Structures are given as C-alpha cells and as structure tokens.
Amino acid sequence: MEVLISLAKVIFAFVIVLQLTLVLLWVERKGSALIQDRVGANRANLFGGLLPFNLGIVNTWMADPLKLFHKEDIVPADADRFLHWLAPWIAIFPLFVTFTVIPFGDVLIAGGYTINLQGADLNLGILYVLAMLSMAVYGVIVGGWASNSRYAFLGGVRGSAQMVSYEIAMGLSLVSVVLTFGTLDFQEIARAQGDLLFGVFPAWGFFYQPLALLIFFIAGMAESKRAPFDLPEAESELVAGFYTEYSGSKQSVFMMADFVEVAIVAGLVTTLFFGGWQVPWLYRDGFHFPGGFHVFVPSLLVTVLQVLSFLVKLFLFCWLQILIRWSLPRLRYDQLMDLGWKRLLPLSLANVAITAVFVLLFDGKTVW
Amino acid sequence: MTLFWILACVTIPAALTVILHRNPVYSALALVFTLFQVAIMFVALDAHLIAFLQIIIYAGAIVVLILFAIMLLSLEPEEPGDGRSSLRAAGWGAAALLGLELVAIAAVFPDTPAAEKPLPEGYGSVAKIAERLFTTHLLPFELTSVLLLVAVVGAVVMARRRTGP
Amino acid sequence: MTEHYLVLAAILFAIGGLGVLIRRNVIVILMSVELMLNAVNVTFVALARQHGSMDGQVIVFFVLTVAAAEVAVGLAIILMNFAQRKTINADEIRLLRG
Amino acid sequence: MLNPYVALLMSFALCALVATIMVCASWILGPKHPTKTKLEIFETGNPPLGSLRGMRFPVKFYLTAILFIVFDIEVVFMYPWAVIFRQLGWAGLAEMAVFVAVLTVGLAYVWRVGALEWE
C-alpha cells in the first residue's frame, strides 16, 4: 500500500510537470501573440468549429506533439549517432526527475494514512535539485558536439559556459534561503512559511530574502536558456544553436526541456519564496483571519485548496517568465558573462553575509 | 543486497568503458555514469549528503571541465594498440595479479561477515557531518580554500600562457 | 555488506590503475585517476559506516576538493603542453627530461 | 514510512521511460527518406564549412569552467554550514568568512588578469 501511495505521488508530480509544459507551449504562443498584438495560433480545433468558441489549447496540447513526433528523424551524416540520440535524453531526464521533490501540498490524512504530498520527501531536497540541474548541462554540450556542425558546437559551448556561470549565483542565493530556514527540506521550508509576521502577513520567504529571490529568478531564467538569455540558441546568430541539427521528436524534446526548466524555476520560486502550497491564513482547521475571525473548512477541502494554491502560484511564475521573455531584448555574450560573474556572484555572496549577520542578531525570523 | 549486485553489474562495465573506449567523449560520459552509480552506493551506505556532493562536484563540475578540455583540443579518437608496450604488459599483469588476489580473498572470505553495529542516532545527517566538519576538521577545511586558490591561480596562469599575454 | 563494497571498490581501483597504465591519452589517464579516487571514497564511506563514525564521510569532502584542484591544474598543464607540442600522448610528453 | 529514496528510484524509472519514448518517437513513427542534402549539416544555406575536427576554441571557456569548479565547491561547503549555522554562532561566521575571503582572492586575481572579459 505504501508503495502504491508513493507511486501515485510520483506520477502525480510527473503529470503536473508534463501537462504544465504542454500548456505552457500553448500559453507561450497565445501570450506572445497577445504581447505582439496579433492573433496567434487559432486553427486546429477539437470539434472542427462545431463549438461556438475555439478550443485553441487543443492545438498545442494534443496536435503539436503528435505532429512533431511524426516528423522525420534526421541525423547528419558526420554526426555521432549514439551521442546525437543521447543528448536530448540527458537534456530532459534530470529536469523531469527534479520536480519529484517539490511539495505540492501539506499532509493529506485519509484512510488511516498520513500522506506527505511530495513526490519523494527527501530531507536534502535543495541539494538534490542542485545536483540534477547541474546534470542538464551535458545535454547542451553533448548535443552541440555530436552534431559535428560548427554552429551547433559553438552554441553548445556557449550554452554550457552560460549555464555553469549562473549555477554559482543560483546556488549561493539558495544558501541564504537555507540560512534563514535552517533546513534543506522543501516541505519544512514550506511549512515554516505558514507563520505570520506581525500577526498579519503570511511569513513568506520573499519578506526575508528579497535579494535572493531576485538573484535566483535571474539565474534560473539564464539556466533555462530563454530570452533575454537565449545566446546558446540565438536564431539570428547561430541558426538554432546546439540543436540546429535536430529534427522531429528530438528537437521537440530540447524545446520541451526549456519549458520544464521554466516550470522548475517557477516551482522553486513558489516553494522557497512564496509559501509553496500555503494559502494565507488557511490552517488545518480552516481560515484564521487576523483579528480573530475564524471560518471552518473541512480538512479535505483544505488540502484541495492548498494544491490549487500551489498550482496557481506555479502557473503565475511560469507566465511571468514568458512575459519577460517576450518583453526584453537579448543580452550580448559579454554582458551575459559580466552579469553572472561580476554582478550576481558578489551580490549573492554579500547577501549570504548579510543574512548570516541578521540570523545571529535577530535569529533571522524577527527582523521585521 | 540486491541493490548491491545490480550496482556492481552496472558499475564495472561502465568503469571499463571509461578506460577502454577509443573516443574520449564516450569515456567522459561513461565516467559520469560511473560517478552516478557511486553516488547511489553512497546513498545505500547512509551517506546521503556525500552522494549529492558527489553528483554536484564530480559529475556536475569536474567532468564538465574534462569535457571542455577534450573539446578544446578537438581530439581524434585514439588509434588502438600503440601505447608503450612495456607499460601495457605491466598494466595487464597488475590487473591479473589483483584478480588472483580477489579470488584468494574470496576463498578465505569469512562465512559470517563482520557484525553490523547499530548505527548511532542521526548517522549521516547533514547536521552531524557539518558539526564534525566545522569543529574537529576545521583546519583541513580552511586549508582547502588555500589549495583551491593555488589551483585556480596556477591553472589560469598556465592556460593563459597558451594564448600569450 | 561492508566487505562487498570494499571488494567492489578494489575492483574499481584496479580498473582505474589499469587505465593509467595502458592508455596514452593524457586526458583518459586523468579520468582513470578519478576512478581510483572514487574507489577510495567508496572505501572510506563503507568503513565509516562499519565503525559508525562520521569522519570517513568528512574525508570524502576533502578528497573531492583535491580531485577538483588536481583536474583543474592537470588539464591546464595538458592544454599548455598541447599548445607547444601539439600532442596529448603521454609517451611523447617529457617536460622534465627535456 | 517508506524510504524516500525508493520513491526517488520510481521517479527515475518513470521519467527515464517517458524520456526514452519521447526521444525515440520520431525514429519509430516518422518517415525515413534520407537524401544526401538532408544529411548535410545545416549552415543557413551556405556551403557547409565541414567537420569540426581540428577546430580550435577560445581558452576562455576553459577558464570559466575552472572558476566554476572552485566556486561550486565553495557553494557546496556552504550548505552544511548554513544548516547548523545557528549552532555555530559567530565562530561559524568567522570560519566561513576566512574560507570565502581566500577564495575571493582567487576571483579577484582572475578578474584582474582579465579572464572575465569577453568581447
């Protein structure tokens, strides 16, 4: 039974990320159309226009992957066939498994079981996420190399240098979060954010660590290699960067990896800085509004509300990343490396030092 | 125990691929795979923190550096069989000797393996390891930074000499 | 359990040693050294568990750091040597013998 | 409770399966009509410059990777430190300050010699 529950949780977490990436594909098309004041994807329809409204989401949710998976798989003659196959696999696998440790709800008490709503409740969650994100760089570098094409290779080397540069800033910004909460466990961090500041505001992470949030968000966007950090796949300079020589499902896997990364960054930002599954003032037995006002909510509904809250926050931060992507111009490569090494790295080191002093002076919690 | 045998059956071929494959990129990827297996061994041995460090530092950083070097040199696959013959013979000889030794050990292997002590409370937890690291082993920890400083300065000086000042 | 892991570590160490001896590509030799270091790490962790002491795990921290420093400097030497002599063949690298 | 690493293993198996299916989908479902032009590498219609072998790359990428290793280790040492920081107190802060200060000398050196300058 325990094994089945675990399996169900793992599958649920995986389905969240899989569906989210597919929906994001559609949101990105419609969203970019909205930002650029054009119509966007509006052709494919589930019931052929029988419905009064357009189920445009079906276009990318179902039709797009099906179409891409039926394209011809072209491997350049000079390429290394095995590595050419392996690269997209390495690009997406570590990202898929990352989402397993992000909690999507508090404990669910049902049928005599207390189920922790988290794919795998590792107590070293943050280190696990860093480890898996550090593996994703191989997909880029191997993909560029295996194609045996100059554009692809240059894209791959650029991409891997960019990813490793921003990994440092990302890791350091999370160190200050760990300093604040004193644990590496995502579920504990999410629970700690259920407290109240001044008895009014929910004690979400961004009150304690606004700078870490900023650094983490920038570094996370750079890791996902999307505009304004899309140097490795800069269309106007490098064709399509490290995946120039890819077609069909392999190419769509690379594209999907970017979206999974967007989802992971959104998930981490939600969990570490915006309370994860916390709904403000909602506790196990219902809402406790500031001022002593109490509304009873049944336990099961509380869990449902928490999972919904997590999904809504997750989606909002994905949307924010898409908005940024379509609003900002691409950085130059020197600006990109400057930002990573000369701005974010010293800034995040300073943030760790400040946080450490604050923790010692005020225990980090009573700063406000 | 089942886990151990699976690990052993996967790790040894992967390690052999590292040293025997002609293409260094394959060697490096096989090394990543081997490091992953070693990380799983660490998890099995209650060293969870070490397992993740292994992946972050070894698989995520050191092998990336090795791959960069391989790609900077754009190496051709090596022609087999033209290594120094004396060393080759010595290598295979040493391997054979070790194989014999392992067989010998297996022959005298105690039927009852050493009793497993119950592990102390919180064994392998981050807090306990950190406590040892930042109290008992503080000096090596601080010296580590000096080692890294020397390494980065040395590496930068040498790597830059290639392109000139 | 400990014995099994020790034997596996010994095999890994031997494979690494074999790689150092039979290969002439310096980068592959470096990777073989990494294999040997990993075998040592497994030994440390297995014995630490046997004795219920955490020091074996702490040492792995330092081994990891030393490995990183070794690779950074080693590869820099290889790059420099390649720039001057266009080779990464261990047999042809005789810096100290002139 | 079930060991969380068992759940992790399940996740690995599931994700590996789905990733493999996704990567292989085109090979299984797609048409296979290779032609000579299709198999050439794509360089926006210009005649391809040919193979990578023998092509050289700026050593700066390598310097970046070295710097990355050093700071990666620093970050990794900081995590156990951060977990027990409240217990270590001011002494812990001093210990880490020394460690980071020495590594920052390295960063300053690399910065000074211009290895961080990209043009």
Side-chain angles (χ1 to χ4, degrees), chain A residues 66-227:
Chain A
L66 279 179
K67 184 202 80 174
L68 281 167
F69 287 179
H70 279 86
K71 291 280 175 183
E72 182 173 357
D73 179 22
I74 303 169
V75 183
D78 286 343
D80 188 317
R81 294 195 73 93
F82 176 68
L83 293 184
H84 192 269
W85 176 87
L86 190 66
W89 196 90
I90 312 184
I92 203 150
F93 174 72
L95 297 179
F96 269 165
V97 293
T98 305
F99 220 79
T100 315
V101 294
I102 297 177
F104 46 83
D106 199 358
V107 287
L108 170 71
I109 300 161
Y113 287 95
T114 306
I115 303 162
N116 199 359
L117 291 183
Q118 187 182 15
D121 36 5
L122 298 190
N123 50 9
L124 295 174
I126 291 185
L127 280 177
Y128 171 80
V129 167
L130 282 181
M132 287 304 134
L133 288 184
S134 73
M135 298 307 296
V137 67
Y138 287 107
V140 177
I141 193 165
V142 172
W145 194 83
S147 307
N148 202 8
S149 137
R150 290 171 186 233
Y151 285 115
F153 184 46
L154 189 55
V157 176
R158 267 192 187 187
S160 40
Q162 168 183 342
M163 286 172 87
V164 297
S165 299
Y166 282 86
E167 240 173 72
I168 302 295
M170 196 178 202
L172 277 174
S173 64
L174 292 186
V175 166
S176 39
V177 176
V178 176
L179 270 176
T180 310
F181 293 105
T183 174
L184 293 166
D185 189 329
F186 280 118
Q187 192 67 285
E188 275 179 39
I189 291 177
R191 282 206 189 105
Q193 294 177 64
D195 304 339
L196 291 182
L197 288 171
F198 307 130
V200 184
F201 298 114
W204 288 355
F206 72 96
F207 283 116
Y208 301 119
Q209 290 293 343
L211 197 56
L213 169 65
L214 189 69
I215 295 166
F216 179 80
F217 199 67
I218 294 174
M221 285 204 67
E223 286 271 308
S224 66
K225 305 180 291 301
R226 289 160 53 83

Side-chain angles (χ1 to χ4, degrees), chain A residues 12 30 108 137 160 168 171 182-183 228 251 282 286 291 303 326 331 360:
Chain A
F12 188 77
K30 276 306 219 188
L108 170 71
V137 67
S160 40
I168 302 295
T183 174
Q251 191 265 348
L282 179 65
T303 306
W326 289 100
L331 273 79
L360 287 179

Side-chain angles (χ1 to χ4, degrees), chain A residues 170-293:
Chain A
M170 196 178 202
L172 277 174
S173 64
L174 292 186
V175 166
S176 39
V177 176
V178 176
L179 270 176
T180 310
F181 293 105
T183 174
L184 293 166
D185 189 329
F186 280 118
Q187 192 67 285
E188 275 179 39
I189 291 177
R191 282 206 189 105
Q193 294 177 64
D195 304 339
L196 291 182
L197 288 171
F198 307 130
V200 184
F201 298 114
W204 288 355
F206 72 96
F207 283 116
Y208 301 119
Q209 290 293 343
L211 197 56
L213 169 65
L214 189 69
I215 295 166
F216 179 80
F217 199 67
I218 294 174
M221 285 204 67
E223 286 271 308
S224 66
K225 305 180 291 301
R226 289 160 53 83
F229 303 102
D230 60 342
L231 276 296
E233 47 202 70
E235 281 88 351
S236 47
E237 297 167 27
L238 288 171
V239 196
F242 59 93
Y243 58 72
T244 305
E245 302 298 336
Y246 281 89
S247 65
S249 62
K250 286 179 183 167
Q251 191 265 348
S252 57
V253 164
F254 272 124
M255 224 164 62
M256 207 172 157
D258 286 1
F259 282 104
V260 181
E261 187 117 30
V262 167
I264 287 170
V265 171
L268 291 175
V269 166
T270 305
T271 309
L272 299 175
F273 300 101
F274 289 90
W277 37 261
Q278 299 274 6
V279 183
W281 309 298
L282 179 65
Y283 297 94
R284 176 72 348 117
D285 57 341
F287 284 101
H288 287 272
F289 291 109
F293 195 56

